[in-house]
C-alpha cells in the first residue's frame, strides 16, 4: 500500500521472543503488501457503478428503493442525520441522494454542506450516494471546481438539475448555465464517463415548459447528452407515472425512470411542497386530509397508507424498476412503507466483519487492524490519504501513515449521544476508580445504573453491545468488576457456517474462523501480575502492553501482524479481513488513551474530583491486547485473567518467604 512520507514518530518496542520494556522508536522499513486475493469475489456489486447496479437489478427483476435527504441547517442536525445513515443502510437502499441548496454554501467544507454530508455517506457509512448539483447562482468555473472536489472525495454520481430560482424569477448567472442539459453536457465534456448522471423528469410536464410534449423533448435532450437515469418529480396517482413512462418510451427514452414518492406526513409540509412543485393535489386526497389537518399523527398514518397503495399500483404496473422516496429527513414513515411492501430487508450477515467505505479507491480493501472494530469511521478518516489499501493480507507494514490524531474528533466522529445523556450513563459525579468500573459493568450487563439509565455506549464504542460480545457476557462482567476495562473482544470460532446469524460473514456456503481476542485498560499492579502469568502461556498467547507514554512490552515475533479472523468460501482463496498488527497498535493507543479525556473527562469541570479520576486512569493505566492462537481449543484467555486475579489476591510474601523463593 502507499505509505505517506510524513510519518508520526511513536515510541515502541522491538518484538522478540523475550519481551522487553523499551521507549525507542519502532523500525520504519516499509514492505510491499501481498495482493493474492481481493473482495471482488466476495461482493461483486461493491465494484459496480450505479448504472450497472440498476441494470443488473432490472435484468433480474429485483426491485430496489432509494432515499433522498437534505442537509440540515445546524451541525447538531447534521450529526443526527449522519448517525441515522447507518440505520438506513441496514435496510438495503440501492442509493441515497443529497440535495443542493445554494443558500447553504453547498460545496463548502462546512458541517452542514451538501458536499460534506454526501462525502460522509460514501466514505464513512458505505452508502452509494448521488449528489445533487444545480446551475443556480454558479458560474461554469465554480461548477467545475465542485465536480473536481466531488471526484476527489469519492463521489461518482451526480443528479444534474437547473435548480429552483433564489427569488421569484430565474436569473441567469454570468458565465453559468441556464438549463440542466447544459450541465449534463459540461460534466461529460470535462469528466468523460467518470460520473453516472441522473436528471429530473416531470410526469405532468415542467411548470415552466410550454407544453407536456415540449418538456418531453427537453428530457430526451438531457438523456441524449449523457444522462444515465431519471428521477421524477412527485405525483399522487399511479396512472400519471405510467402514462409518463409510456410517453418517454414512444420518443426513444430507454434509461431507467424512477418514480419520486412523496410521503404526506403533515399538513404544512404538503402545502409547502405543492407550492414549490406547482402541483395540484387530487380532490380525493384533499377530502381525506382537510378534516384531520391539525392532527399530525392521523395525517402521517394516512400518508403511509396512501403511499403503500400508490407504490403497490406502481410495482404491479411492471413499469417501475425501483422506488425513490423523498424522506424530508423523516425516515420512520418511509421505513414503515417499505416494510409493508416487503422491500426493507435487514440482513444480519456482513460481507466483511467491519463497516466498509464506498469510496472507489477502497473497493479492493479487505483487511484492517482489529483495534478500530468499533470505530470504523475513525479508521477510515485516519487512512483517507492512502493511495492503496491492503488486499488479501496486511503484510509486514512497519510504517503505516495514519493521520494526525488532532483531526480525528470532527462532528461525525464524536458520540451521537447528547452530553446530558452521557452524564447520566457515565456518572454525573465519580467517587473513585471503582465508579468507572461500575460504568463498564453496566454496559456489559445491560442493567440500569443508579440513575435508572442503561449504559448503551462507551467512549470506544458509540453503539450498544455487539451480539458476539454478548456470548462472553459472564466472563467480561467478572473482568470489568476487577478493573480489567474491556474495550474490544471477540470469541474463538472454529469453522462456523458463514450464514451464522451472529458470527457469520461473507458469501453463503463458507466457513469462518476467529482467534480469541481481548483488549482492555488496566492498572500497573494488574499488568505486573498479568506479565507473570503470561510466562506460562508464552507459546500460545501473543500480547502487547503499552502505556500512554508509549513504553511497551510485546512478544509479537519481529512485530509481525497476526491474522485473527479468516474465512474459507467455495471457489475462493482464504480471506483474512482482521489482524492484530503490533505497529498499528502503537498508533491506535494514542486514540484509545485520548478518548478518556476527549470523550469522558471533558464532561466534568476542570480540576473536579471526577475529572481527576479520569485523568489518573489516562496517565497511569496500560492498554493491553491478548490473542489466543490455539483457536480450535477452548479460549484460554479467561484462564489467563483468572490466574492474574488469583495472583493479585495472594497475601504479600514475608521476607522469609521471599528469601526461600
Amino acid at each position: 500500500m502507499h505509505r505517506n512520507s510524513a510519518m508520526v514518530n511513536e515510541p515502541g518496542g522491538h518484538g522478540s521472543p523475550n519481551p522487553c520494556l523499551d521507549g525507542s522508536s519502532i523500525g520504519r522499513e516499509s514492505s510491499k503488501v501481498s495482493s493474492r486475493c481481493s473482495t471482488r469475489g466476495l461482493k461483486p456489486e461493491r465494484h459496480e457503478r450505479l448504472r450497472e447496479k440498476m441494470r443488473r437489478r432490472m435484468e433480474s427483476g429485483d426491485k430496489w428503493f432509494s432515499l433522498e435527504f437534505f442537509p440540515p441547517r445546524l451541525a447538531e442536525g447534521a450529526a443526527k442525520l449522519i448517525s441515522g445513515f447507518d440505520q438506513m443502510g441496514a435496510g438495503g437502499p440501492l442509493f441515497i441522494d443529497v440535495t443542493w441548496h445554494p443558500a447553504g454554501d453547498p460545496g463548502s467544507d462546512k458541517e452542514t454542506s451538501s458536499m460534506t454530508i454526501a462525502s460522509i455517506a460514501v466514505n464513512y457509512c458505505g452508502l452509494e450516494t448521488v449528489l445533487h448539483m444545480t446551475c443556480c447562482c454558479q458560474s461554469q468555473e465554480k461548477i467545475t471546481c465542485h465536480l473536481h472536489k466531488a471526484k476527489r472525495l469519492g463521489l461518482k454520481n451526480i443528479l444534474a438539475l437547473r435548480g429552483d430560482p433564489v427569488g421569484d424569477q430565474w436569473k441567469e448567472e454570468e458565465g453559468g448555465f441556464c438549463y440542466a442539459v447544459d450541465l449534463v453536457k459540461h460534466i461529460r465534456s470535462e469528466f468523460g464517463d467518470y460520473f453516472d448522471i441522473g436528471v429530473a423528469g416531470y410526469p405532468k410536464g415542467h411548470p415552466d415548459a410550454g407544453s407536456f410534449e415540449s418538456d418531453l423533448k427537453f428530457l430526451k435532450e438531457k438523456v441524449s447528452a449523457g444522462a444515465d437515469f431519471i428521477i421524477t418529480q412527485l405525483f399522487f396517482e399511479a396512472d400519471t407515472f405510467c402514462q409518463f413512462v409510456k410517453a418517454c418510451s414512444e420518443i426513444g427514452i430507454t434509461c431507467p425512470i424512477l418514480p419520486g414518492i412523496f410521503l404526506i406526513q403533515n399538513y404544512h409540509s404538503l402545502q409547502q411542497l405543492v407550492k414549490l412543485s406547482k402541483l395540484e393535489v387530487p380532490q380525493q386526497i384533499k377530502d381525506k386530509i382537510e378534516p384531520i389537518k391539525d392532527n399530525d399523527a392521523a395525517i402521517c398514518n394516512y400518508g403511509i397508507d396512501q403511499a403503500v397503495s400508490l407504490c403497490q399500483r406502481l410495482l404491479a404496473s411492471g413499469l417501475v424498476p425501483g422506488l425513490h422516496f423523498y424522506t424530508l429527513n423523516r425516515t420512520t414513515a418511509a421505513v414503515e412503507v417499505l416494510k409493508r411492501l416487503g422491500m426493507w430487508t435487514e440482513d444480519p450477515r456482513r460481507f466483511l466483519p467491519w463497516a466498509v467505505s464506498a469510496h472507489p479507491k477502497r473497493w479492493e480493501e479487505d483487511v484492517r487492524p482489529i483495534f478500530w472494530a468499533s470505530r470504523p469511521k475513525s479508521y477510515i478518516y485516519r487512512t483517507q490519504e492512502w493511495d492503496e489499501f491492503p488486499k488479501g493480507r496486511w503484510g509486514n507494514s512497519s510504517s503505516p501513515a495514519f493521520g494526525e490524531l488532532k483531526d480525528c474528533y470532527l462532528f461525525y466522529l464524536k458520540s451521537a449521544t447528547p452530553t446530558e445523556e452521557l452524564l447520566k450513563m457515565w456518572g454525573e459525579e465519580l467517587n473513585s476508580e471503582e465508579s468507572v468500573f461500575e460504568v463498564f459493568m453496566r454496559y456489559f450487563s445491560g442493567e440500569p445504573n443508579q440513575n435508572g439509565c442503561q449504559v448503551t455506549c462507551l467512549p470506544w464504542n458509540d453503539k450498544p453491545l455487539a451480539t458476539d460480545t454478548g456470548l462472553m457476557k459472564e466472563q467480561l462482567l467478572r473482568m470489568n468488576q476487577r478493573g480489567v476495562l474491556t474495550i474490544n473482544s471477540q470469541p474463538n470460532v472454529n469453522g462456523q457456517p458463514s450464514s451464522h446469524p451472529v458470527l457469520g460473514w461473507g458469501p453463503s456456503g463458507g466457513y469462518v474462523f476467529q482467534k480469541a481476542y481481548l483488549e482492555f485498560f488496566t492498572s500497573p499492579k494488574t499488568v505486573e501480575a498479568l506479565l507473570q502469568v503470561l510466562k506460562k502461556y508464552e507459546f500460545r498467547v501473543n500480547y502487547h502492553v503499552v502505556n500512554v507514554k508509549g513504553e511497551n512490552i510485546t512478544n509479537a515475533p519481529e512485530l509481525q501482524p497476526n491474522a485473527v479472523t479468516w474465512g474459507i468460501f467455495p471457489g475462493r482463496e482464504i480471506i483474512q479481513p482482521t489482524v492484530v498488527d503490533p505497529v498499528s497498535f502503537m498508533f491506535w493507543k494514542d486514540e484509545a488513551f485520548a478518548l478518556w479525556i476527549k470523550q469522558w473527562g471533558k464532561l466534568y469541570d476542570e480540576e473536579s474530583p471526577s475529572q481527576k479520576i479520569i485523568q489518573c486512569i489516562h496517565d497511569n493505566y496500560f492498554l493491553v491486547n491478548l490473542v489466543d492462537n490455539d483457536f480450535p481449543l477452548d479460549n484460554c484467555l479467561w484462564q489467563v485473567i483468572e490466574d492474574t486475579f488469583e495472583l493479585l489476591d495472594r497475601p504479600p510474601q514475608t521476607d522469609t518467604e521471599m528469601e526461600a523463593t
Side-chain angles (χ1 to χ4, degrees):
M1 76 187 72
H2 171 76
R3 302 295 185 189
N4 192 315
S5 59
M7 305 310 307
V8 180
N9 291 321
E10 292 288 345
H14 301 284
S16 67
N18 297 315
C20 61
L21 183 62
D22 188 19
S24 59
S25 60
I26 291 175
R28 298 287 178 216
E29 296 81 8
S30 62
S31 63
K32 189 74 174 176
V33 173
S34 166
S35 58
R36 290 180 61 246
C37 58
S38 76
T39 52
R40 185 174 291 276
L42 278 177
K43 192 174 183 183
E45 58 266 33
R46 185 182 180 193
H47 305 265
E48 290 177 330
R49 302 177 64 126
L50 178 55
R51 64 189 183 208
E52 292 168 348
K53 293 178 182 179
M54 289 183 178
R55 185 181 306 116
R56 178 171 51 79
R57 298 282 283 266
M58 291 172 70
E59 290 172 354
S60 68
D62 186 12
K63 307 300 183 185
W64 73 78
F65 70 91
S66 51
L67 304 167
E68 180 172 294
F69 300 93
F70 64 85
R73 293 181 180 179
L74 302 176
E76 292 81 0
K80 184 177 180 181
L81 175 64
I82 290 161
S83 68
F85 281 169
D86 291 332
Q87 297 172 344
M88 292 297 100
L94 186 66
F95 66 89
I96 70 162
D97 67 318
V98 180
T99 63
W100 184 276
H101 296 289
D105 202 3
S108 72
D109 293 328
K110 291 180 180 178
E111 298 173 349
T112 56
S113 77
S114 303
M115 191 76 74
T116 296
I117 300 294
S119 171
I120 293 169
V122 167
N123 287 285
Y124 300 102
C125 304
L127 295 171
E128 184 81 62
T129 304
V130 177
L131 174 66
H132 290 211
M133 187 80 66
T134 72
C135 306
C136 187
C137 302
Q138 299 195 101
S139 66
Q140 179 176 319
E141 182 181 6
K142 191 173 183 180
I143 288 172
T144 303
C145 287
H146 289 325
L147 290 166
H148 276 294
K149 183 175 182 179
K151 181 179 179 181
R152 186 173 70 254
L153 292 173
L155 293 159
K156 287 185 64 68
N157 311 298
I158 299 293
L159 189 66
L161 307 165
R162 187 196 76 166
D164 297 320
V166 175
D168 294 333
Q169 299 294 325
W170 176 266
K171 292 183 180 179
E172 184 175 348
E173 182 76 18
E174 185 176 351
F177 302 123
C178 288
Y179 300 103
V181 65
D182 299 319
L183 178 54
V184 174
K185 290 177 180 178
H186 177 71
I187 295 171
R188 288 288 177 237
S189 173
E190 292 294 319
F191 296 89
D193 202 38
Y194 176 81
F195 290 106
D196 283 7
I197 302 174
V199 293
Y202 297 85
K204 289 198 169 184
H206 192 283
D208 293 341
S211 65
F212 177 77
E213 290 73 22
S214 61
D215 191 49
L216 275 184
K217 178 184 175 184
F218 297 144
L219 180 60
K220 176 70 181 297
E221 289 178 3
K222 289 190 284 188
V223 174
S224 299
D228 298 295
F229 60 94
I230 297 167
I231 299 177
T232 75
Q233 178 61 278
L234 66 96
F235 54 90
F236 296 100
E237 296 173 313
D239 287 346
T240 302
F241 178 81
C242 294
Q243 292 167 10
F244 173 70
V245 171
K246 290 175 182 177
C248 288
S249 178
E250 289 171 359
I251 64 169
I253 295 176
T254 59
C255 68
I257 303 175
L258 309 183
I261 308 299
F262 170 68
L263 289 95
I264 302 171
Q265 299 188 55
N266 63 58
Y267 190 73
H268 176 71
S269 64
L270 175 63
Q271 284 186 314
Q272 285 294 107
L273 208 62
V274 167
K275 179 181 178 181
L276 288 172
S277 60
K278 300 179 182 179
L279 289 176
E280 182 67 27
V281 179
Q283 188 60 45
Q284 65 267 30
I285 293 180
K286 288 182 180 178
D287 292 342
K288 291 282 188 180
I289 286 180
E290 282 296 328
I292 57 173
K293 65 180 181 181
D294 296 323
N295 187 335
D296 284 352
I299 288 185
C300 186
N301 289 333
Y302 168 76
I304 291 172
D305 292 339
Q306 187 267 342
V308 169
S309 177
L310 173 62
C311 292
Q312 287 173 334
R313 292 197 298 273
L314 290 170
L315 293 169
S317 72
L319 299 174
V320 175
L323 303 169
H324 184 73
F325 288 87
Y326 297 113
T327 70
L328 302 183
N329 292 5
R330 300 170 185 166
T331 54
T332 303
V335 171
E336 178 61 26
V337 170
L338 288 163
K339 285 181 177 178
R340 291 196 194 179
L341 295 171
M343 297 177 71
W344 183 267
T345 54
E346 293 191 28
D347 187 349
R349 285 190 305 151
R350 309 150 292 171
F351 82 91
L352 283 169
W354 32 261
V356 301
S357 168
H359 194 297
K361 72 178 182 179
R362 301 187 87 113
W363 281 351
E364 300 288 344
E365 179 186 25
D366 63 3
V367 56
R368 290 181 186 172
I370 195 172
F371 318 122
W372 284 271
S374 298
R375 288 179 60 79
K377 290 182 174 66
S378 175
Y379 178 81
I380 291 167
Y381 183 82
R382 297 189 70 176
T383 58
Q384 64 180 320
E385 299 301 326
W386 291 6
D387 294 332
E388 297 176 9
F389 293 87
K391 296 177 289 186
R393 293 181 179 176
W394 181 258
N396 183 20
S397 53
S398 55
S399 58
F402 289 94
E404 291 287 342
L405 186 68
K406 65 181 181 181
D407 296 328
C408 270
Y409 297 97
L410 301 177
F411 77 103
Y412 49 88
L413 300 180
K414 294 179 181 178
S415 173
T417 307
T419 299
E420 297 76 16
E421 292 184 29
L422 291 178
L423 281 167
K424 290 179 181 178
M425 286 192 285
W426 300 347
E428 295 175 344
E429 184 178 348
L430 303 175
N431 301 312
S432 64
E433 291 181 9
E434 284 71 20
S435 301
V436 175
F437 302 173
E438 179 72 16
V439 174
F440 277 79
M441 288 175 60
R442 296 295 182 180
Y443 177 68
F444 287 106
S445 71
E447 296 176 358
N449 60 19
Q450 61 184 8
N451 296 323
C453 181
Q454 282 191 312
V455 179
T456 58
C457 66
L458 291 173
W460 305 269
N461 190 346
D462 202 36
K463 295 183 179 179
L465 201 64
T467 49
D468 62 338
T469 306
L471 300 175
M472 307 175 287
K473 180 186 288 188
E474 183 179 339
Q475 295 92 333
L476 291 170
L477 276 171
R478 173 156 170 77
M479 287 174 54
N480 286 271
Q481 185 180 29
R482 294 291 300 267
V484 178
L485 307 177
T486 315
I487 63 170
N488 197 352
S489 61
Q490 71 175 28
N492 61 312
V493 175
N494 186 20
Q496 283 284 358
S498 60
S499 57
H500 191 283
V502 176
L503 302 169
W505 56 272
S508 299
Y511 293 90
V512 297
F513 303 80
Q514 290 180 177
K515 296 177 182 178
Y517 176 76
L518 284 176
E519 183 180 335
F520 52 85
F521 290 98
T522 197
S523 68
K525 184 178 179 181
T526 303
V527 165
E528 184 180 357
L530 175 65
L531 291 173
Q532 289 294 319
V533 169
L534 285 170
K535 291 177 182 179
K536 298 188 300 182
Y537 298 87
E538 186 69 33
F539 298 103
R540 178 168 175 176
V541 176
N542 281 121
Y543 58 86
H544 202 158
V545 182
V546 64
N547 63 13
V548 72
K549 299 175 184 176
E551 299 167 335
N552 73 110
I553 306 170
T554 182
N555 69 341
E558 299 179 357
L559 297 181
Q560 289 285 338
N562 185 353
V564 291
T565 308
W566 63 99
I568 299 173
F569 306 97
R572 297 175 173 89
E573 294 187 6
I574 294 174
I575 307 296
Q576 54 173 55
T578 309
V579 299
V580 169
D581 175 39
V583 179
S584 300
F585 185 61
M586 296 301 289
F587 289 88
W588 161 246
K589 66 95 180 168
D590 283 340
E591 183 171 338
F593 274 103
L595 287 167
W596 281 108
I597 306 301
K598 299 285 187 180
Q599 295 273 24
W600 199 333
K602 74 170 188 179
L603 298 177
Y604 308 112
D605 293 336
E606 205 65 39
E607 297 299 317
S608 66
S610 297
Q611 199 273 341
K612 287 180 179 179
I613 289 169
I614 297 298
Q615 187 70 51
C616 181
I617 292 175
H618 169 273
D619 294 346
N620 295 289
Y621 274 38
F622 283 80
L623 179 63
V624 180
N625 75 58
L626 304 176
V627 179
D628 178 4
N629 291 298
D630 282 346
F631 64 92
L633 305 180
D634 288 341
N635 179 359
C636 78
L637 300 184
W638 309 125
Q639 192 59 51
V640 169
I641 299 299
E642 286 300 322
D643 291 350
T644 301
F645 292 157
E646 181 183 345
L647 186 57
L648 286 168
D649 292 340
R650 289 180 189 173
Q653 289 182 313
T654 64
D655 292 342
T656 303
E657 289 172 330
M658 291 179 66
E659 289 174 7
T661 304

